[in-house]
Amino acid sequence: MEDKITPGTKAIIGVDYAGQPCDWNALREIANRHNLHLVDDGCHALGAEYKGKKVGTLADMTVFSFHPVKHITTGEGGMVVTDDEGYAERMRIFRTHGITRDPSKFANQPSAISHQPIYPLFYYEMADLGYNYRITDFQCALGVSQLQKLPEFLRRRRNIAALYDEAFAGLSGITTLAVRKDSLHAYHLYVIRNDSNISGIDRTTLFTKLREKGIGVNVHYIPVHLHPFYREKFHTGPGLCPVAEADYEQIISIPMFSGMKDSYVEQVVTCLKEATNQLN
Ligand SMILES: *Cc1c(COP(=O)(O)O)cnc(C)c1O
């Protein structure tokens, strides 16, 4: 990462992929050394921890999504958390059309907008270019009730992960992603790797077989630099990120959601064994 930093670099964004926090101490060190903002995309990692510290406290700001597939939902929407007053203020203004009503933030003198020596009561300023990024109160009501269920949702996800870990431990050609000892995983995703040289089946065929059995598998993600937008606009393409490209050929996300029954977990395991000829 450090090699890629240029004078044009403004921020480092780390994604806590699948629900396991990045190595935030290492990222913090690099960000400090180059005076960059440090942003955590914690959308997979609500409730995860790194060295005993919760995701949301590790970067300058952390973003969470409340899309229906995430740990908790508000239908759509999300939140950004920060412990920095400056970032908070900036984001509040950005969220509301760039408007401030705080007199201590006004740039105009009262004389610039009125004949009175004080600001009129109705006065506000558009201080910056902003958008309407407000979440609705209805959505927040759902979010507040969802938040109470988060501990139970996390417990169940971790429990399902433990069942999968145990079931896949002895399989050949199928490996699970490593979890560092100093992290507490939130398991938005449970990703397996298929090494076709060992399992004898390529990822896409395995994926198709699982779907045919009714198993809700997915692939997270197609590397962004292979999408047309980046290819056309930034001239990216195969070879730019060889590790991501090689991983992409191997990965499958298998079902993981808090309402998942043990019987479905067993069915997923059985179908995977069957598809790789390891059902005995
Ligand atoms: C879901 C998700 C997003 C996008 O969230 P939205 O609520 O759709 O804006 C971004 N990053 C990651 C890692 C996600 O999982």
Side-chain angles (χ1 to χ4, degrees):
M1 178 195 289
E2 205 159 16
D3 290 345
K4 296 287 179 192
I5 294 171
T6 71
T9 306
K10 291 185 175 171
I12 293 172
I13 305 177
V15 180
D16 299 320
Y17 177 68
Q20 174 164 226
C22 299
D23 186 353
W24 285 102
N25 283 358
L27 295 181
R28 169 62 71 193
E29 215 173 274
I30 296 172
N32 285 357
R33 194 150 53 231
H34 298 270
N35 206 12
L36 300 170
H37 305 288
L38 188 58
V39 180
D40 182 356
D41 180 343
C43 292
H44 289 181
L46 184 61
E49 294 178 20
Y50 168 78
K51 296 185 192 293
K53 289 166 79 183
K54 282 226 152 60
V55 164
T57 66
L58 302 162
D60 297 326
M61 41 187 135
T62 305
V63 297
F64 295 103
S65 167
F66 301 138
H67 179 274
V69 305
K70 306 302 162 74
H71 289 81
I72 59 171
T73 186
T74 57
E76 281 284 0
M79 77 180 167
V80 190
V81 300
T82 182
D83 62 355
D84 180 285
E85 268 305 320
Y87 289 127
E89 180 64 24
R90 188 76 200 278
M91 287 190 281
R92 282 191 195 104
I93 287 180
F94 191 64
R95 176 179 64 185
T96 310
H97 307 299
I99 286 172
T100 180
R101 291 177 182 277
D102 177 356
S104 73
K105 299 280 164 13
F106 290 164
N108 281 341
Q109 293 303 313
S111 60
I113 43 92
S114 130
H115 300 301
Q116 308 281 327
I118 55 163
Y119 296 109
L121 282 175
F122 60 79
Y123 188 64
Y124 60 88
E125 285 187 351
M126 182 185 159
D128 207 343
L129 185 62
Y131 295 89
N132 177 353
Y133 281 169
R134 294 183 300 264
I135 192 170
T136 67
D137 289 356
F138 312 122
Q139 289 170 291
C140 291
L142 175 57
V144 167
S145 80
Q146 284 270 291
L147 200 55
Q148 286 159 6
K149 298 176 185 173
L150 180 61
E152 173 54 24
F153 289 165
L154 283 165
R155 193 199 59 76
R156 180 57 182 154
R157 283 174 181 267
R158 287 171 180 145
N159 176 247
I160 292 164
L163 295 173
Y164 278 148
D165 288 345
E166 195 185 332
F168 301 144
L171 291 189
S172 59
I174 302 293
T175 50
T176 60
L177 300 192
V179 181
R180 280 195 314 268
K181 283 197 181 66
D182 61 4
S183 68
L184 181 61
H185 206 301
Y187 290 107
H188 168 59
L189 302 175
Y190 192 96
V191 178
I192 57 167
R193 289 161 97 97
N194 170 59
D195 183 341
S196 58
N197 293 324
I198 302 171
S199 67
I201 183 171
D202 69 87
R203 190 278 314 274
T204 302
T205 308
L206 176 57
F207 181 95
T208 307
K209 274 193 173 186
L210 292 168
R211 275 282 177 93
E212 279 167 2
K213 297 274 181 189
I215 306 298
V217 285
N218 231 316
V219 170
H220 298 95
Y221 295 91
I222 300 167
V224 287
H225 67 288
L226 301 181
H227 282 289
F229 173 77
Y230 296 98
R231 286 191 182 213
E232 284 159 24
K233 200 156 177 171
F234 299 98
H235 310 293
T236 63
L240 183 68
C241 301
V243 177
E245 288 162 30
D247 286 349
Y248 163 60
E249 297 296 335
Q250 294 197 330
I251 54 174
I252 298 179
S253 305
I254 60 175
M256 166 62 78
F257 52 97
S258 52
M260 194 174 178
K261 300 264 190 326
D262 279 2
S263 57
Y264 187 29
V265 176
E266 282 160 26
Q267 196 189 334
V268 173
V269 171
T270 303
C271 289
L272 196 74
K273 287 181 176 171
E274 203 177 10
T276 55
N277 284 318
Q278 300 186 70
L279 198 59
N280 40 37

